[in-house]
Amino acid sequence: MAQTIALVTGANKGIGREISRQLAAKGVLVLMGARDRGRGEKAVAELRAKELLVDLIQIDVTSQQSVDRAAAEVEQRHGRLDILVNNAGVALDWLPPSQLTVDALQKTFETNVFGVFRVTKALLPLLEKSKHGRIVNISSGLGSLTRNADPNTTLTARNMLLAYCASKAALNMITVQLGNELKSAGIKVNSANPGFTATDMNQHRGTRTVEQGAATPVRLALLPDDGPTAGVFSDDGPEPW
């Protein structure tokens, strides 16, 4: 698998860093995407110290100029891309829906939805040059309409994070429609629910480790040609919409 090339956004910490580590440990050349060059270089150096094949790509998913520059850099260096993991994301609204501001809603969608679409669009020509293109969008169980509508779930009782939940529901629709379109091209597109993983995003209150959270995204990134597409998956299998 030495020739397999992956790009992971938001890779300098948390689940993104662990996805990068696990992919590299399987022989994948991982381009670790980071908005901050210094933090990205630090993460790359730490994994290289473990003799893992990783490199840095500076990318701000909210900037078209930055994304276009990163795509051009990948093309210049490698000429194609085999795996794209859209991991970069934010959660800004730990409060009831009525207290959410329009600004926070826009900022959340700018990263979690428009950012994913922007990066995917820019890198799709390189993924189409791969024989086994894979796109993995890091979603969440909080994006499930089924779970949020169930009066017996803890999600209904807490009823917060409207911007984050809505952004992940929108992300899942991007997964479905792109997955269906790109099926004929051999590109698989899936959403991964990593579970409630302890990261900076939730002040490390999650009950799962980053190693556990990265497992499903890595599995989806390395799916065989007869694997599923246009779905949402967790460690337990298909997730409810």
Side-chain angles (χ1 to χ4, degrees):
M1 295 187 61
Q3 298 302 307
T4 301
I5 303 162
L7 170 61
V8 181
T9 65
N12 59 285
K13 64 179 181 178
I15 295 175
R17 184 184 183 280
E18 180 60 21
I19 291 171
S20 300
R21 187 194 70 78
Q22 290 188 22
L23 285 174
K26 294 179 181 293
V28 176
L29 167 58
V30 181
L31 308 177
M32 298 177 68
R35 182 176 56 182
D36 183 280
R37 177 170 289 277
R39 292 175 181 175
E41 288 175 344
K42 181 175 182 292
V44 166
E46 289 171 351
L47 294 191
R48 282 181 175 173
K50 298 178 181 180
E51 299 185 350
L52 296 174
L53 193 58
V54 296
D55 206 349
L56 175 66
I57 289 285
Q58 188 171 15
I59 182 171
D60 177 355
V61 303
T62 67
S63 165
Q64 188 66 54
Q65 182 180 23
S66 174
V67 170
D68 289 343
R69 186 166 53 242
E73 190 173 347
V74 174
E75 181 173 25
Q76 182 180 18
R77 287 193 209 172
H78 306 289
R80 75 170 199 286
L81 185 66
D82 302 301
I83 299 167
L84 171 61
V85 181
N86 286 306
N87 168 76
V90 297
L92 306 175
D93 57 317
W94 297 86
L95 38 76
S98 63
Q99 296 179 26
L100 173 66
T101 64
V102 172
D103 182 59
L105 180 63
Q106 286 182 320
K107 286 181 178 177
T108 302
F109 267 65
E110 186 58 49
T111 296
N112 295 3
V113 181
F114 295 114
V116 170
F117 191 69
R118 183 179 291 116
V119 171
T120 303
K121 281 276 288 184
L123 289 164
L124 188 54
L126 297 181
L127 286 158
E128 289 173 334
K129 294 181 179 181
S130 172
K131 294 180 179 179
H132 311 280
R134 303 288 182 264
I135 300 173
V136 181
N137 297 323
I138 304 304
S139 187
S140 169
L142 296 177
S144 168
L145 297 177
T146 301
R147 284 200 176 105
N148 276 279
D150 184 348
N152 298 313
T153 67
T154 56
L155 295 184
T156 307
R158 295 177 65 194
N159 201 42
M160 59 173 60
L161 284 167
L162 169 59
Y164 182 77
C165 293
S167 73
K168 294 304 183 180
L171 175 63
N172 289 343
M173 182 58 74
I174 291 174
T175 292
V176 171
Q177 294 225 354
L178 281 180
N180 288 335
E181 178 188 353
L182 298 174
K183 190 180 300 183
S184 61
I187 298 175
K188 297 187 182 299
V189 188
N190 289 294
S191 285
N193 171 15
F196 191 30
T197 302
T199 64
D200 288 352
M201 182 181 290
N202 56 42
Q203 296 78 53
H204 292 269
R205 291 178 293 188
T207 56
R208 287 165 59 85
T209 66
V210 290
E211 290 83 4
Q212 292 171 321
T216 290
V218 169
R219 176 174 60 83
L220 294 174
L222 300 174
L223 279 176
D225 289 343
D226 61 353
T229 193
V232 183
F233 299 92
S234 68
D235 291 354
D236 297 325
E239 288 277 289
W241 295 107

